[in-house]
Amino acid sequence: MFRNNYDNDSVTFSPQGRIFQVEYAAEAVKQGSVVVGIASKTHAVLVAIKRNAEELSSYQKKLFPIDEHVGIAIAGLTSDARVLSNFMKQQCLGHRLSYGRNMPIRNMVDQIGSKAQNNTQHYGKRPYGVGLLIAGVDNTGPHLFEFQPSGMTEEMQAFAIGARSQMARTYLEKHLESFLDSSREELISHGLKALKESLVQDRELTVENTSIGVVGYVRNEEGTSYKVEPFTLYDGQDVSEFLEKVSDANEGGGAATAEEAAAPEGDSMEVDS
Amino acid sequence: MDHRPQAWGRPRDDVYGAYDGSYLNHGGPKNATQSPVVTGTSVIALKFKDGVVMAADNLASYGSLARFTDVKRLHTFHNTTILGYGGDVSDMQFLSRLILQIELHQDYELEQLPDIKAQRGQEVMQANNLFTFLKKQMYHCRNHFDPLWNQILIAGFDDERKPFLSSVDLRGTSFSAPSLATGFGAALAQPIMRKYADTEEQAAKLTREEAVEIVKECMKVLFYRDARSLDRYSIAVVTKDGIDLKENEQLEKQSWAFAERIKGYGTQTV
């Protein structure tokens, strides 16, 4: 009658040493539409594909500002993300009040990490069904973090989570070397191209379904201090100028870019499910 | 004999009389600090071109008694920030422990991140961040009618790497200026420091040597006229290269000639 006896709660190990509830939560992340994040020496960007439940409905938001210096991209259960988002907003505000500065990104990410891990070892609790990419700047520069329902958090150079995100990751791995020294615009273009890789055949990036978030770290001339370019969201018509830069028509222009576009095509069929 | 468990291990009433537990009852009003007990006197600080100088003597008085003569009232934070405490010494020790915790916490975080460590000096809390924290702490305590009886000077650098000097007191009142002094120093040392650095512009022209000289002069004047002061003092200079803290300085070239002219105090009969 029961297919699996070890997945009723998140405190019971299976005989193979697995915790199924946590693994199912990780599946929820894969159901969400894809989000991509990249960090350079000066900026961190998030780009996302939004989905609409039906033709006539609006698109579900994927990017959320947390504080002046941080934003998140979500894949999975939006309502769970809301809880984490509100928590992070409060922590950032509290830190600003107590210390008069932007909360260090790693501090903040560690806190949601602990919060999520806690859910995986208490009977009657369930893991968050959402994965996050957190982009922000602090005293040490721009950062990109990945957060998983298991409570695992890791700093990333570039990453993608969500449905068919493996294609996007393949693109990111291929261009990893160029990210660190990319400009703001180049970084956004890379993000959008990575997004494109993960699209299903007949879909494309439009002003309706694409979101872009950017946060920057601007050093003064002497390099002694920095200013935050606040986390900015681009939605709707605002993304059109970025989309034009990566449209197929413009792609044909440079030989190098044409190569880039063609290369990952080969293995785009087999990966992910 | 009373064999009930609640009487186990207690002095027997029939031998020692009934236990007076009245001191355990917390029904009445509580009594927080009404005045400081063991106190430190003035702390003075002056900004200069590329940093801040701060000084305080090494005395902790018990009323008018010079009770402890080697109490260090200048503390450092991460080799980037100096804290100078005037007022109650036990409250100073409490705050000092609090700040040590923050310092240790940050050190552990850095320990875990060897790659970030290369940027050392960037990631730790700057003087202005610590100042904001202290300000909130002081104001929080006073709102609970249990103030930390101190006035504190904080010196270091702000986010923009400019010299930073601010003061916060037991009420959470805070302000900054090119020169600051607590306690008696506010009346005796401040006018001398203002003569040299009345504005930020003037302070930005002072050299390190000049600033140290002015502060030493002020310490001397304070020792002449403040009866709760000592001729052993600490002086610290914070620059971008870190903190130079000397904790056992002796006042030099004292001249008590002016005292000849002072009449009408003590046991003099002339």
Side-chain angles (χ1 to χ4, degrees):
Chain A
M1 187 172 159
F2 293 112
R3 193 164 53 95
N4 191 342
N5 287 314
Y6 297 99
D7 67 352
N8 291 312
D9 57 65
S10 59
V11 301
T12 312
F13 277 104
S14 82
Q16 287 77 40
R18 299 161 63 180
I19 298 172
F20 284 105
Q21 281 296 325
V22 175
E23 292 184 20
Y24 297 161
E27 285 303 313
V29 178
K30 290 184 194 160
Q31 306 279 335
S33 64
V34 66
V35 291
V36 174
I38 315 177
S40 73
K41 280 180 187 160
T42 57
H43 289 85
V45 304
L46 298 170
V47 292
I49 300 275
K50 290 181 287 188
R51 280 202 288 230
N52 53 346
E54 49 188 297
E55 201 60 19
L56 294 172
S57 75
S58 64
Y59 287 78
Q60 175 58 50
K61 275 188 78 178
K62 297 282 285 177
L63 302 186
F64 298 89
I66 297 297
D67 198 357
E68 184 187 80
H69 69 301
V70 215
I72 57 167
I74 66 164
L77 303 182
T78 311
S79 38
D80 281 10
R82 221 177 79 89
V83 174
L84 290 169
S85 157
N86 285 342
F87 176 76
M88 285 189 279
K89 283 177 183 176
Q90 282 194 0
Q91 293 302 314
C92 283
L93 236 44
H95 195 92
R96 194 179 291 286
L97 186 73
S98 298
Y99 301 101
R101 65 167 183 176
N102 294 328
M103 188 173 195
I105 309 301
R106 186 179 287 272
N107 267 209
M108 190 192 74
V109 172
D110 282 353
Q111 288 197 10
I112 55 163
S114 306
K115 207 169 142 67
Q117 193 281 335
N118 195 258
N119 286 346
T120 66
Q121 55 171 313
H122 286 278
Y123 190 83
K125 286 186 186 287
R126 66 163 175 81
Y128 291 109
V130 70
L132 306 178
L133 291 181
I134 298 125
V137 295
D138 57 25
N139 285 352
T140 56
H143 298 280
L144 175 71
F145 282 90
E146 180 214 358
F147 161 86
Q148 288 179 3
S150 59
M152 196 212 70
T153 56
E154 246 182 322
E155 177 147 25
M156 295 291 186
Q157 192 70 245
F159 204 56
I161 55 174
R164 299 167 56 84
S165 56
Q166 182 55 50
M167 326 282 223
R169 282 201 292 278
T170 308
Y171 174 92
L172 295 174
E173 279 163 26
K174 190 167 149 59
H175 295 86
L176 188 63
E177 306 301 321
S178 59
F179 294 150
L180 259 189
D181 295 304
S182 285
S183 70
R184 186 181 189 274
E185 269 62 34
E186 284 167 347
L187 215 56
I188 295 174
S189 293
H190 275 304
L192 291 174
K193 285 180 196 166
L195 265 195
K196 271 184 152 183
E197 295 295 327
S198 67
L199 284 174
V200 280
Q201 215 106 66
D202 54 339
R203 291 286 296 275
E204 55 181 19
L205 296 180
T206 66
V207 291
E208 281 84 31
N209 72 4
T210 313
S211 275
I212 303 170
V214 196
V215 60
Y217 179 88
V218 191
R219 277 189 174 284
N220 67 358
E221 298 88 57
E222 305 100 63
T224 49
S225 67
Y226 74 102
K227 283 228 153 45
V228 176
E229 178 198 325
F231 184 82
T232 322
L233 262 184
Y234 296 96
D235 270 313
Q237 282 309 317
D238 293 340
V239 302
S240 62
E241 57 166 319
F242 299 110
L243 288 181
E244 274 163 31
K245 284 191 200 129
V246 294
S247 69
D248 294 327
N250 287 349
E251 212 67 340
T257 47
E259 216 174 283
E260 281 170 19
E265 217 74 68
D267 56 348
S268 63
M269 287 291 123
E270 41 178 335
V271 270
D272 210 3
S273 55
Chain B
M1 182 78 188
D2 185 2
H3 290 291
R4 290 173 303 154
Q6 50 269 51
W8 291 356
R10 291 200 167 271
R12 283 169 57 184
D13 288 357
D14 54 330
V15 178
Y16 298 96
Y19 183 70
D20 178 13
S22 61
Y23 81 97
L24 286 167
N25 297 331
H26 280 289
K30 67 163 191 164
N31 204 356
T33 317
Q34 301 288 303
S35 61
V37 182
V38 178
T39 57
T41 185
S42 327
V43 186
I44 60 173
L46 174 63
K47 276 200 214 176
F48 64 95
K49 197 166 54 175
D50 19 56
V52 190
V53 197
M54 193 186 285
D57 66 30
N58 292 351
L59 178 67
S61 310
Y62 180 62
S64 61
L65 174 71
R67 183 66 183 83
F68 305 104
T69 53
D70 60 346
V71 175
K72 312 298 191 298
R73 298 191 289 123
L74 295 190
H75 299 176
T76 61
F77 176 78
H78 271 307
N79 205 31
T80 58
T81 304
I82 318 170
L83 297 136
Y85 296 87
D88 195 277
V89 169
S90 63
D91 285 352
M92 167 184 92
Q93 290 168 342
F94 168 79
L95 281 167
S96 184
R97 278 199 296 276
L98 197 69
I99 285 163
L100 181 66
Q101 288 211 333
I102 297 178
E103 193 173 6
L104 288 177
H105 197 76
Q106 291 206 337
D107 270 346
Y108 276 119
E109 272 174 26
L110 292 180
E111 204 69 27
Q112 290 167 3
L113 310 166
D115 51 325
I116 302 256
K117 220 172 177 181
Q119 308 175 44
R120 180 130 202 161
Q122 290 280 313
E123 73 296 329
V124 296
M125 255 193 245
Q126 295 300 314
N128 61 323
N129 302 127
L130 193 65
F131 166 67
T132 311
F133 171 76
L134 270 173
K135 189 167 73 178
K136 303 284 168 180
Q137 183 68 42
M138 300 297 273
Y139 185 57
H140 171 85
C141 287
R142 91 108 220 208
N143 279 348
H144 287 74
F145 292 95
D146 189 12
L148 293 160
W149 219 283
N150 299 103
Q151 189 170 0
I152 309 165
L153 299 189
I154 298 111
F157 291 89
D158 62 13
D159 288 335
E160 286 166 358
R161 303 291 180 270
K162 289 210 213 63
F164 176 91
L165 174 60
S166 275
S167 142
V168 61
D169 70 6
L170 70 163
R171 283 167 273 258
T173 317
S174 63
F175 45 86
S176 29
S179 64
L180 284 173
T182 76
F184 230 149
L188 294 174
Q190 200 51 303
I192 301 173
M193 292 192 286
R194 285 199 184 140
K195 201 162 72 187
Y196 297 96
D198 199 22
T199 62
E200 291 286 348
E201 290 72 35
Q202 283 171 294
K205 287 194 187 103
L206 285 179
T207 66
R208 174 182 177 144
E209 288 70 28
E210 285 168 337
V212 169
E213 209 40 57
I214 295 165
V215 166
K216 283 187 174 174
E217 187 61 28
C218 289
M219 290 309 285
K220 198 152 68 179
V221 171
L222 281 169
F223 181 57
Y224 287 154
R225 321 223 75 133
D226 178 0
R228 307 283 169 270
S229 68
L230 196 67
D231 54 353
R232 287 247 163 228
Y233 67 99
S234 305
I235 187 163
V237 183
V238 57
T239 58
K240 292 208 168 96
D241 303 326
I243 294 169
D244 176 24
L245 172 63
K246 298 200 197 82
E247 290 190 310
N248 214 3
E249 295 290 282
Q250 175 75 38
L251 278 185
E252 284 161 357
K253 288 184 246 139
Q254 291 177 41
S255 165
W256 289 85
F258 72 93
E260 289 286 311
R261 291 176 278 116
I262 299 174
K263 297 251 160 76
Y265 296 94
T267 53
Q268 289 166 336
T269 46
V270 194

